[in-house]
Amino acid sequence: MWYNGGMKNKILVAGICGVALCAGAGERGIFGLYGDTPDAKHAWAVHDFNRPYPKQVETPAGKPPSDAIVLFDGTQKSVDENWCDAKGQPTKWRVKDGAFICTPRSGLACTRRAFGDAQFHVEWLSPLDDARKHGQLGGNSGVIPMGQYEIQILNSYDPDPDAKVERNYPDGIAASVYAQNPPLVNASRPAGVWQTYDIIFHQPIWKDGKVLHPGTVTVFHNGVLVQDAWELEGMGTHRVRRPLVPHATKLPWKLQDHGDPVPFRNIWIREIPSRWDNTTHSEMSAKEEDVRALREQTAARLFAQVDAATPDPKNVNGALEVLSYSLKPDYMAAAKKLCAGYEARLKSLSEKDLDAERTFVVGTLKGFNVLVKNKVIGPDDFSLCATLRQIATRKKWPVR
Ligand code: MG
């Protein structure tokens, strides 16, 4: 029908214009080629509409996000379901006034489920009774991701630098990665005031007995960034350095019993993917065979939507987009055929009808420019490309 011209052509143009044509406006149109194309490390183009869209998570104010696993919600039931001692028996920690409180010398509280990389939220406070204790004895506890690396909990509020208080070693105050790294700033609140930790933890990655990446800990203390993707230097320790050792990829997370009745509330965790799991789109972790496989899968899906017998702008641009993922001979042959058909039609149009084609000429030329810029095709591989450029230049149609 694209060869009929005249009124039918205008009706069809108007119909297609009803679809969003301008990908630059942030909506998918018929012109899929927009940003830099997939490459050996990236299965998706820049601004790729074919890329899977993130799942919606509900984030009601003051509540855990909808995809969080709530580990303590103020009830004994949530303790029974989610916490145990180191032997898997019911924890002796108690619930009082909506808080989960360490029973001193009863042992660690351990999650019943095992977790690996995760975002962890917890609220805690230093008991007022412990406020006068010094050193490591003032409201000591800790969050221990995977039971291996401690984020310290301690009464560490210290606003007066000249006060003659017995200070702790900096790598042992609140929000330190204990024995490794002090927090960037001391964001502590006074004893008796609830505080928050939001922890993003990535475990070390091992390959063939060697550390591929040491893993990182990021901590927001009362909303303040205090550990900025700190790369783990060793296992949890005291006084001595203990190098990293391999462990299971999922283990219980733990809260420390250091002999102080530290209360906790609003505990939740979100499991997060390891950044090393991304083997299809990452400068760091992509595997070229996985990238290739996903690109071929996407190309096949898009090619199934192309009608190689109808050389209209939709099919021409669809075929060109397929080439950005895969240059299989079938795809190239279909693109050549469609482009030749569209080129012949353009050359048959009157100047007036060509003006009605402006959106498609410019949009298709932009697609060619993306492919040529990214060396997917050469500038002379398709004569349609030169024809489009000649038309746009002659008509003074900007192509940005
Ligand atoms: Mg501790």
Side-chain angles (χ1 to χ4, degrees):
M1 77 179 95
W2 274 93
Y3 297 89
N4 291 339
M7 183 57 72
K8 279 186 181 175
N9 188 39
K10 288 174 184 172
I11 290 170
L12 183 53
V13 168
I16 291 182
C17 285
V19 181
L21 287 170
C22 181
E27 295 175 37
R28 171 69 198 225
I30 66 169
F31 306 116
L33 289 165
Y34 182 50
D36 280 346
T37 57
D39 59 23
K41 292 275 194 174
H42 302 90
W44 305 110
V46 178
H47 308 315
D48 195 330
F49 279 91
N50 302 306
R51 196 172 183 174
Y53 209 76
K55 180 182 75 171
Q56 180 68 52
V57 171
E58 300 300 328
T59 57
K63 293 185 177 178
S66 58
D67 64 344
I69 298 167
V70 176
L71 296 173
F72 178 67
D73 62 2
T75 66
Q76 183 64 49
K77 181 170 178 285
S78 62
V79 172
D80 295 342
E81 290 176 351
N82 295 293
W83 296 93
C84 61
D85 68 14
K87 295 179 179 175
Q89 299 301 309
T91 176
K92 292 184 173 60
W93 291 31
R94 60 203 167 90
V95 175
K96 184 181 179 186
D97 299 330
F100 183 38
I101 304 171
C102 174
T103 298
R105 289 168 290 284
S106 69
L108 299 154
C110 311
T111 61
R112 288 192 177 277
R113 285 180 57 177
F115 302 103
D117 294 8
Q119 175 187 356
F120 185 88
H121 174 89
V122 64
E123 300 172 20
W124 57 274
L125 64 71
S126 299
L128 286 169
D129 291 345
D130 284 359
R132 291 183 182 177
K133 294 181 185 174
H134 295 302
Q136 291 290 304
L137 301 178
N140 194 331
S141 182
V143 177
I144 309 178
M146 303 189 76
Q148 305 294 332
Y149 319 89
E150 183 185 0
I151 314 303
Q152 175 69 308
I153 285 177
L154 196 73
N155 177 25
S156 300
Y157 185 64
D158 187 12
D160 183 354
D162 298 322
K164 289 183 169 46
V165 298
E166 183 184 341
R167 288 210 167 93
N168 267 292
Y169 36 85
D171 63 2
I173 71 169
S176 61
V177 177
Y178 189 76
Q180 290 191 28
N181 196 43
L184 294 169
V185 293
N186 183 357
S188 295
R189 292 170 179 161
V193 180
W194 284 100
Q195 313 198 44
T196 64
Y197 278 172
D198 289 283
I199 300 168
I200 297 124
F201 172 79
H202 289 281
Q203 63 186 290
I205 304 292
W206 293 80
K207 186 176 183 183
D208 302 329
K210 292 185 177 176
V211 177
L212 193 60
H213 190 276
T216 57
V217 178
T218 298
V219 179
F220 291 87
H221 184 188
N222 297 321
V224 176
L225 179 66
V226 291
Q227 298 287 348
D228 183 10
W230 171 255
E231 295 190 348
L232 293 165
E233 295 186 335
M235 310 306 291
T237 185
H238 176 59
R239 296 187 65 192
V240 296
R241 292 194 174 93
R242 291 177 59 214
L244 293 169
V245 293
H247 53 67
T249 54
K250 290 199 175 188
L251 288 168
W253 283 46
K254 301 179 180 180
L255 300 176
Q256 187 186 43
D257 169 15
H258 198 278
D260 296 323
V262 175
F264 297 84
R265 70 181 186 188
N266 295 332
I267 309 173
W268 51 262
I269 192 167
R270 295 179 65 249
E271 293 184 279
I272 54 179
S274 165
R275 64 195 69 182
W276 292 86
D277 287 348
N278 184 352
T279 62
T280 57
H281 194 89
S282 167
E283 206 59 62
M284 179 178 74
S285 57
K287 295 178 181 171
E288 294 193 13
E289 62 269 28
D290 291 355
V291 173
R292 261 198 310 276
L294 182 53
R295 286 176 57 171
E296 290 296 343
Q297 187 183 329
T298 306
R301 178 165 54 85
L302 295 179
F303 188 66
Q305 300 167 24
V306 173
D307 175 4
T310 306
D312 62 17
K314 177 177 179 292
N315 288 312
V316 167
N317 282 278
L320 294 179
E321 187 177 12
V322 169
L323 296 185
S324 72
Y325 296 98
S326 171
L327 293 172
K328 278 172 72 170
D330 286 358
Y331 303 155
M332 183 59 85
K336 289 272 187 185
K337 181 181 171 190
L338 284 164
C339 287
Y342 185 48
E343 184 180 12
R345 177 180 172 273
L346 287 177
K347 287 181 174 176
S348 72
L349 293 179
S350 68
E351 286 299 309
K352 187 179 174 188
D353 285 342
L354 199 53
D355 287 342
E357 200 75 7
R358 173 174 173 168
T359 300
F360 301 125
V361 168
V362 171
T364 307
L365 183 53
K366 285 181 181 178
F368 271 117
N369 287 344
V370 170
L371 292 179
V372 171
K373 180 205 168 200
N374 286 272
K375 298 184 170 55
V376 176
I377 61 173
D380 302 321
D381 286 355
F382 289 79
S383 60
L384 172 61
C385 180
T387 298
L388 294 171
R389 197 176 309 285
Q390 288 163 8
I391 294 171
T393 302
R394 179 165 56 81
K395 294 281 192 180
K396 294 187 171 54
W397 293 340
V399 181
R400 287 189 287 267

